[in-house]
């Protein structure tokens, strides 16, 4: 098992949820945290603990985003008009690594980050190697022609674990898709219950 896969499974077990809804999650076999004390009963969390868990869950889902970067997203969402929690998840869904994961060009969010870093993705015909690059409405995202036969890409295209959401328009045969619009929270196909409102409460303390 690669270090990346092991780390992903550790996140699942630490949070106690099958965060990405994958069949290979260790939570399908044992629903407790990693470590020698993982199987002990968990205490009822405080309000702070509940808010912290919501933050860790959302950060983890998008590939364990750093605290510095996640805080920057919160501040940007707070600055904009409207519901801050809606804006926050909208920004997260605009990340290029999240977009290619949603478009089913790669099997996992961790693979998405690596795939972008290695220069396999074009945005409006230009190579972008920054996973946190924010895709805008109308942008066309595609896998470079030379990268379309990479086994990981072929694997992702055949996955039945998830569907492409309606805020993306994808031509799977052309390995190309359009970011139609920034989604609302209710449209985002999270496999587990996310509570971005608690994340906002955490940072608003």
């Amino acid at each position: 098992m690669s270090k990346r896969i092991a780390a992903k499974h550790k996140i699942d077990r630490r949070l106690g949820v099958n965060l990405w809804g994958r069949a290979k999650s260790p939570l399908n076999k044992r629903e407790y945290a990693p470590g020698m004390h993982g199987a002990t009963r968990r205490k009822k969390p405080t309000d702070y603990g509940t808010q912290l868990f919501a933050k860790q869950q959302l950060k983890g889902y998008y590939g364990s985003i750093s605290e510095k970067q996640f805080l920057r997203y919160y501040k940007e969402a707070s600055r904009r008009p409207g519901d801050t929690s809606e804006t926050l998840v909208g920004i997260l869904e605009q990340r290029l690594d999240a977009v290619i994961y949603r478009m089913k060009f790669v099997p996992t969010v961790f693979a998405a980050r690596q795939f972008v870093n290695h220069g396999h993705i074009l945005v409006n015909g230009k190579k972008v190697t920054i996973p946190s690059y924010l895709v805008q409405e109308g942008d066309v995202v595609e896998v470079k022609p030379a990268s379309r036969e990479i086994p990981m890409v072929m694997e992702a295209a055949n996955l039945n674990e998830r569907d492409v959401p309606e805020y993306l328009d994808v031509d799977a045969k052309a390995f190309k898709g359009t970011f139609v619009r920034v989604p609302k929270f209710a449209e985002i196909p999270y496999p587990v219950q996310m509570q971005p409102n608690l994340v906002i409460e955490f940072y608003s303390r």
Side-chain angles (χ1 to χ4, degrees), residues 22 38 52 79 89 92 101 109 127 165 170 181 193 196 204:
R22 302 211 71 194
L52 177 62
R79 188 183 63 80
V89 294
L92 292 169
Y101 172 66
V109 289
K127 182 170 71 173
V170 177
R181 55 185 167 78
Q193 182 182 9
S204 300

Side-chain angles (χ1 to χ4, degrees), residues 71-120:
L71 180 58
R72 191 184 307 134
Y73 290 147
Y74 161 74
K75 290 180 177 178
E76 175 61 24
S78 299
R79 188 183 63 80
R80 298 182 190 180
D83 186 311
T84 303
S85 61
E86 285 277 359
T87 305
L88 176 61
V89 294
I91 292 172
L92 292 169
E93 284 292 306
Q94 285 181 265
R95 284 178 56 101
L96 182 57
D97 53 3
V99 171
I100 68 167
Y101 172 66
R102 293 279 184 235
M103 289 183 172
K104 295 181 68 174
F105 295 159
V106 288
T108 70
V109 289
F110 295 92
R113 184 173 299 171
Q114 185 181 53
F115 202 65
V116 175
N117 276 330
H118 290 179
H120 297 299

Side-chain angles (χ1 to χ4, degrees), residues 134-146:
L134 296 183
V135 179
Q136 303 301 312
E137 294 181 350
D139 281 355
V140 176
V141 179
E142 63 182 305
V143 179
K144 284 174 56 178

